[in-house]
Amino acid sequence: IDYAYVSIEQPGGGSAMLFVMKSLRLAQSGQLHVSGGVPAIFYAQDTIKIDGAVNGVQAGQTPAGAFEQDSTGHGGGPGGGAGSLGYNSAGGGSYCGLGGKGGKGETNPASKGGKAYGSPELLPLVGGSSGGGGATVNSSGGTGGAAIEFAAGQSISISMTGVINVGGVGGHANGGGAGSGGALLLEAPVVAVHGILAANGGGGALNNGGSSGQSGQPGDTAALGSGITGGVGSAGTVVNGGDGSLDNGSNSSGGGGGGAGRIRINTTAGKADLSGATLSPAATTPCTTQGTRA
């Protein structure tokens, strides 16, 4: 694909990387992994057709425009979850949906999930917030989901095999909260989605030597927290992440699950063709909306 790219300043604040091309076609066997420090905008002068998988969740890489945990243990971003204190677990990151509370410790109260933020219009385009964590890499919060926009001069088509996933990253053991889902914006005169659009939260991590939680899933199934105490991520009609809990038998708590991100579809008519599509968060929630093109 021939394309040009440039860093731009978004209306409302914040920079983004803009990729411009004549048209974009992702074959059924194709994969597009999107990472980096700022949101990514793909603009095709003619059409965009996605038959393969676009993934903002890639192991070892920061999702485009997402927030990471800060050095104090608090989750990064406007909806970052609270960090862990002693033997409790951290709260999940929020965006449109709220992150779950971390499981309380034997003597410490539960750490809170983050606060909701952002607008349905996704102006400016901004990524998901991270869960809280602890003082080490092995107990860090999961990074928030990516911020990605696809815009076309004529049309956008996501086929039955097409998937776009901007889910949050699962919390890392010990006791990390999960990242919230990210932001996905589709904008063209005509948009047809018959595949999957997902901006789900990740699952919280088990404390006390446990494994990490799952990252946001490419569908409407909730990401699992690790063990029996990690909170699940948002999915489908459930936009808030699940709370972590405390297993009194092992004195092991779990991080909170990540809240839902945001999906926005803008067309000339204000209504896309969504026949056969799986949208998560669901189109019946305030976290997935439609509007008219500017």
Side-chain angles (χ1 to χ4, degrees):
I1 299 174
D2 292 327
Y3 65 91
Y5 62 92
V6 63
S7 177
I8 63 170
E9 292 298 316
Q10 299 190 70
S15 60
M17 189 62 71
L18 172 65
F19 298 85
V20 180
M21 60 211 73
K22 179 68 172 175
S23 61
L24 174 62
R25 168 74 186 276
L26 185 63
Q28 185 172 340
S29 60
Q31 294 191 26
L32 174 61
H33 296 286
V34 186
S35 61
V38 297
I41 302 172
F42 298 88
Y43 173 70
Q45 296 171 326
D46 294 335
T47 62
I48 293 175
K49 182 172 177 59
I50 296 176
D51 299 320
V54 178
N55 197 344
V57 184
Q58 177 75 345
Q61 298 182 1
T62 301
F67 294 95
E68 299 180 282
Q69 176 199 313
D70 66 30
S71 59
T72 69
H74 195 279
S84 59
L85 300 168
Y87 291 99
N88 72 352
S89 293
S94 300
Y95 197 165
C96 176
L98 298 176
K101 296 178 182 178
K104 66 180 183 179
E106 187 175 15
T107 58
N108 299 107
S111 292
K112 295 180 180 180
K115 298 180 180 180
Y117 65 100
S119 68
E121 295 80 14
L122 291 178
L123 294 173
L125 186 66
V126 62
S129 293
S130 76
T136 69
V137 172
N138 291 331
S139 62
S140 59
T143 304
I148 302 175
E149 176 181 352
F150 288 97
Q154 295 182 13
S155 65
I156 296 175
S157 174
I158 315 295
S159 73
M160 292 176 61
T161 58
V163 179
I164 305 178
N165 182 17
V166 292
V169 177
H172 304 294
N174 295 299
S180 76
L184 176 60
L185 175 59
L186 305 180
E187 187 165 34
V190 177
V191 174
V193 181
H194 307 301
I196 296 172
L197 306 180
N200 300 316
L206 178 68
N207 208 330
N208 195 20
S211 58
S212 299
Q214 287 184 333
S215 293
Q217 297 295 289
D220 55 5
T221 300
L224 298 178
S226 59
I228 62 173
T229 59
V232 300
S234 67
T237 59
V238 180
V239 300
N240 295 333
D243 292 340
S245 60
L246 172 65
D247 179 3
N248 290 316
S250 63
N251 192 31
S252 182
S253 61
R262 295 183 182 274
I263 297 173
R264 176 75 172 191
I265 304 174
N266 291 331
T267 59
T268 299
K271 189 173 180 62
D273 176 4
L274 302 179
S275 57
T278 298
L279 273 60
S280 188
T284 54
T285 73
C287 299
T288 290
T289 60
Q290 297 192 60
T292 55
R293 298 178 70 224

